[in-house]
Amino acid sequence: MYICVCKGVTERDIHEAVKQGAVRMRDLRSCLGVTGQCGICACHAKITLDKVLNQELSQQTAARPS
C-alpha cells in the first residue's frame, strides 16, 4: 500500500528502510523523502514505522535463546 503518494513510498519501502537502520521519522524523511512535500502522509508513515519496529523487536526477542 502507498504511504506517501507524493514520493511513491510504500509500506515495503518503510520495511526496507527499517532493515537498513531507520528508527525515527527523521530517518524516513532523510532516506525516502516521506513528509517532504504536502505532509499528509505523516500520520500513516509514523503508524507504519511503529508497526515495523515492533515486528522487528518481536522477531529479535523470539530469536534469542532462553
Side-chain angles (χ1 to χ4, degrees):
M1 175 169 85
Y2 278 93
I3 301 298
C4 177
V5 176
C6 296
K7 295 291 186 172
V9 176
T10 64
E11 282 187 54
R12 183 175 293 163
D13 296 326
I14 293 176
H15 279 266
E16 287 301 316
V18 168
K19 286 181 182 179
Q20 294 178 12
V23 293
R24 301 175 300 179
M25 284 296 293
R26 181 182 298 171
D27 300 331
L28 294 183
R29 184 171 184 179
S30 175
C31 69
L32 299 174
V34 170
T35 74
Q37 289 189 344
C38 74
I40 292 173
C41 63
C43 181
H44 295 295
K46 176 68 171 145
I47 290 168
T48 303
L49 175 63
D50 290 343
K51 183 177 87 174
V52 173
L53 288 171
N54 285 332
Q55 288 173 349
E56 291 289 319
L57 181 61
S58 294
Q59 289 175 358
Q60 290 174 2
T61 302
R64 289 184 187 159
S66 298

